[in-house]
């Protein structure tokens, strides 16, 4: 292994060859549109509208560009009428941005566990939870938030059927599932709202940003109003409701407008990398690549994921969790609280941690899968409807690099590294 080898990251931002992103940013400066509205924002929203397409009824969607995917979740909840004291059913197996905005509103997340084949919200458990919440609180949950984990579509048909039966709006968290499809229809167009994210590590980026796909123009208008401080039409600032400063900047939108020219290439590349992992790991005993359960599920494979058999022994396993970690895994941005223990009461198996460390030493970024929200201390008092699936996957799961910079040679090297880590 050469010391010259560059670190292989999970998913790095990648710009168009023509540098369109910089061209559109320059145009924003040249025309003095350095504000949270303008030609790039309009163009990017148009791009996204074309990209997500129509729903099965042939209805066109509307899209609002926002400052973050988290802001999109927040505004979708508000537009669904979620208020303090309400409950919202949300997939437990997700990144915290799916559920934190529920808490911002003083509402309570009701966590729903996953089905084993998609790793996403279990429709049966969802229905059970709805019935139990009605019985316990006398009220229906105000919204349902399924999540396309690592890009894999949820069972849109069954989730939407449950939502329809109880007349509860669906907010699709497609932040990781940009361009993923269920039976040919793009995620985000099934529910009342669809959340997209353009954070630096997502399928496409605006450095940071998000968007909300809305069912119709009226909802788009409502979301836009909340995103721009909820103003009434007087010559002075008049407010009858609390609003937010969540609109996307015309600079960021310039990046997004450029990125949309390569969005489909990115998706194709992620799928190609997934296919190569599937092929090369097929006969590695104890390592299972997570894949779509049927062709109804067209995942963008934002991140490729594997499961490690608990009996698999990995080099260095005896040292797993012996040292307190000083930084966030993956070097995530921001401030990370220092911790004084190396372990928690719910963590990936020793062999998963050992493989992560082994890969890192070989300059490969690999990460545990997201820890389910119902196992997070911050949500210890939230109701949860569980079947053990997400917790079990958390203990054996691992994310592998999949971004535009991951070459075939990189995938081969990653697979060889996994093989060499295994003690036979
Ligand atoms: C990234 C992400 C978000 C939020 O996106 P930001 O743009 O980072 O605020 C929401 N949900 C999920 C599942 C995500 O992975």
């Amino acid at each position: 292994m050469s010391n010259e080898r560059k670190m292989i990251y999970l998913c790095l931002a990648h710009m168009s060859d023509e540098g369109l992103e910089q061209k559109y940013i320059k145009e924003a400066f040249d025309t003095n549109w350095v504000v949270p509205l303008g030609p790039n924002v309009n163009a990017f929203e148009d791009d996204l509208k074309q990209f997500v397409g129509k729903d099965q009824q042939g209805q066109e969607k509307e899209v609002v560009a926002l400052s973050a995917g988290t802001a999109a979740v927040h505004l979708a909840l508000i537009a669904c009428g979620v208020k303090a004291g309400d409950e919202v059913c949300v997939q437990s197996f997700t990144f915290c941005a799916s559920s934190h905005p529920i808490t911002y509103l003083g509402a309570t997340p009701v966590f729903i566990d996953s089905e084993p084949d998609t790793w996403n919200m279990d429709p049966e458990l969802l229905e059970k939870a709805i019935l139990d919440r009605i019985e316990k609180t006398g009220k229906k949950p105000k919204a349902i938030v399924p999540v396309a984990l690592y890009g894999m579509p949820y069972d849109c048909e069954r989730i939407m059927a449950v939502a329809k039966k109880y007349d509860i709006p669906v907010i699709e968290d497609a932040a990781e599932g940009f361009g993923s499809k269920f039976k040919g229809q793009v995620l985000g167009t099934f529910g009342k709202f669809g959340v997209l994210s353009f954070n630096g590590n997502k399928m496409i980026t605006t450095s940071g940003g998000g968007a909300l796909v809305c069912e119709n123009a009226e909802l788009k208008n409502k979301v836009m109003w909340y995103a721009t401080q909820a103003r009434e039409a007087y010559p002075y600032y008049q407010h009858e409701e609390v609003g937010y400063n969540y609109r996307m900047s015309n600079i960021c939108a310039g990046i997004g407008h450029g990125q949309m020219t390569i969005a489909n290439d990115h998706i194709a590349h992620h799928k190609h990398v997934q296919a190569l992992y599937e092929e090369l790991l097929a006969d590695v005993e104890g390592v299972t690549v997570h894949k779509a359960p049927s062709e109804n599920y067209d995942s963008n494979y934002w991140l490729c994921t594997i499961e490690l058999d608990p009996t698999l022994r990995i080099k260095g396993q005896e040292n797993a969790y012996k040292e307190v970690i000083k930084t966030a895994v993956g070097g995530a941005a921001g401030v990370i609280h220092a911790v004084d223990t190396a372990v928690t009461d719910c963590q990936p198996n020793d062999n998963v941690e050992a493989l992560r460390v082994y890969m890192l030493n070989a300059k490969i970024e690999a990460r545990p899968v997201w820890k389910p929200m119902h196992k997070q201390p911050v949500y210890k008092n939230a109701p949860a409807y569980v079947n053990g699936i997400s917790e079990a996957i958390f203990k054996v799961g691992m994310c592998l690099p999949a971004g535009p910079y991951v070459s075939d040679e990189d995938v081969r090297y990653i697979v060889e590294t996994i093989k060499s880590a295994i003690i036979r």
Side-chain angles (χ1 to χ4, degrees):
M1 180 184 323
S2 146
N3 288 332
E4 307 303 308
R5 185 171 276 285
K6 275 210 246 134
M7 183 78 190
I8 306 173
Y9 291 99
L10 277 182
C11 186
L12 282 184
H14 168 265
M15 299 298 130
S16 66
D17 292 340
E18 302 88 341
L20 289 174
E21 293 85 353
Q22 291 191 50
K23 174 173 174 267
Y24 295 136
I25 289 177
K26 186 169 183 304
E27 278 173 15
F29 277 89
D30 291 347
T31 55
N32 206 14
W33 279 105
V34 189
V35 277
L37 78 164
N40 285 335
V41 177
N42 298 339
F44 185 39
E45 283 178 345
D46 270 352
D47 294 340
L48 290 168
K49 187 171 160 164
Q50 294 305 316
F51 180 82
V52 300
K54 296 174 181 168
D55 66 16
Q56 269 157 342
Q57 285 73 49
Q59 180 169 351
E60 275 202 355
K61 301 292 157 182
E62 299 293 336
V63 181
V64 186
L66 299 167
S67 55
T70 311
V73 176
H74 194 180
L75 291 187
L77 292 164
I78 291 170
C80 286
V82 176
K83 296 204 161 65
D86 287 336
E87 292 188 337
V88 174
C89 291
V90 56
Q91 183 166 320
S92 181
F93 202 7
T94 186
F95 180 64
C96 63
S98 309
S99 56
H100 280 358
I102 300 168
T103 313
Y104 300 167
L105 292 166
T108 305
V110 174
F111 291 113
I112 314 292
D113 213 332
S114 293
E115 45 172 11
D117 51 356
T118 64
W119 295 9
N120 292 323
M121 184 182 273
D122 182 332
E124 237 169 78
L125 216 45
L126 170 65
E127 180 159 25
K128 200 176 135 198
I130 293 169
L131 289 172
D132 195 53
R133 296 325 293 167
I134 294 172
E135 195 183 306
K136 290 212 167 86
T137 69
K139 282 200 307 188
K140 273 193 308 194
K142 275 286 186 67
I144 298 167
V145 186
V147 181
L149 201 67
Y150 307 122
M152 186 66 71
Y154 20 84
D155 185 337
C156 293
E157 225 153 56
R158 291 177 66 210
I159 298 284
M160 291 309 296
V162 174
K164 197 167 171 206
K165 183 167 170 190
Y166 296 95
D167 192 24
I168 302 172
V170 171
I171 300 166
E172 296 177 69
D173 185 343
E176 300 175 6
F178 180 81
S180 295
K181 294 173 186 163
F182 181 83
K183 290 196 171 173
Q185 187 181 327
V186 176
L187 295 192
T189 64
F190 288 85
K192 186 169 183 172
F193 293 108
V195 171
L196 305 177
S197 167
F198 316 116
N199 204 357
N201 57 353
K202 293 283 160 76
M203 185 58 80
I204 61 162
T205 187
T206 58
S207 71
L212 198 55
V213 181
C214 307
E215 205 169 38
N216 54 45
E218 196 187 328
L219 286 174
K220 172 176 177 167
N221 211 38
K222 186 170 181 170
V223 168
M224 194 93 93
W225 184 71
Y226 278 116
T228 50
Q229 302 289 27
R231 290 163 302 176
E232 307 296 326
Y234 291 94
Y236 40 85
Y237 287 134
Q238 173 88 0
H239 301 289
E240 291 175 13
E241 275 192 62
V242 170
Y244 300 82
N245 181 8
Y246 277 173
R247 198 78 169 108
M248 180 178 278
S249 124
N250 194 52
I251 302 297
C252 294
I255 307 175
H257 185 35
Q259 288 270 288
M260 284 306 283
T261 61
I262 48 171
N264 284 323
D265 299 341
H266 280 192
I267 294 169
H269 184 81
H270 282 246
K271 288 181 177 180
H272 169 76
V273 167
Q274 165 76 14
L276 204 50
Y277 279 125
E278 285 182 21
E279 182 194 324
L280 299 176
L281 284 166
D283 52 8
V284 180
E285 219 179 301
V287 179
T288 311
V289 181
H290 176 49
K291 43 186 146 178
S294 78
E295 64 250 28
N296 289 340
Y297 297 83
D298 183 359
S299 175
N300 65 11
Y301 290 108
W302 171 58
L303 294 184
C304 301
T305 49
I306 53 171
E307 290 174 280
L308 289 198
D309 189 301
T311 63
L312 198 69
R313 288 181 52 244
I314 298 291
K315 288 176 188 162
Q317 197 169 320
E318 62 284 359
N319 298 322
Y321 297 118
K322 289 278 156 59
E323 249 180 83
V324 176
I325 302 229
K326 300 285 191 301
T327 58
V329 169
V335 171
I336 312 290
H337 265 183
V339 292
D340 47 19
T341 60
V343 296
T344 67
D345 63 354
C346 173
Q347 62 187 20
N349 290 335
D350 286 356
N351 62 357
V352 172
E353 174 60 6
L355 184 58
R356 182 189 70 78
V357 172
Y358 188 93
M359 305 272 268
L360 193 60
N361 288 331
K363 296 198 170 174
I364 300 163
E365 183 189 15
R367 259 192 230 185
V369 296
W370 303 173
K371 180 167 177 170
M373 288 302 131
H374 74 275
K375 300 302 292 181
Q376 299 286 2
V378 70
Y379 286 123
K380 63 179 182 295
N381 297 323
Y385 293 80
V386 297
N387 54 18
I389 299 287
S390 64
E391 186 175 351
I393 298 170
F394 173 59
K395 291 187 174 159
V396 301
M398 173 160 262
C399 303
L400 299 177
Y405 285 106
V406 177
S407 67
D408 287 14
E409 198 273 315
D410 288 340
V411 177
R412 287 197 187 91
Y413 169 67
I414 292 165
V415 169
E416 284 315 309
T417 306
I418 293 172
K419 285 184 183 167
S420 74
I422 297 170
I423 303 169
R424 292 287 178 198

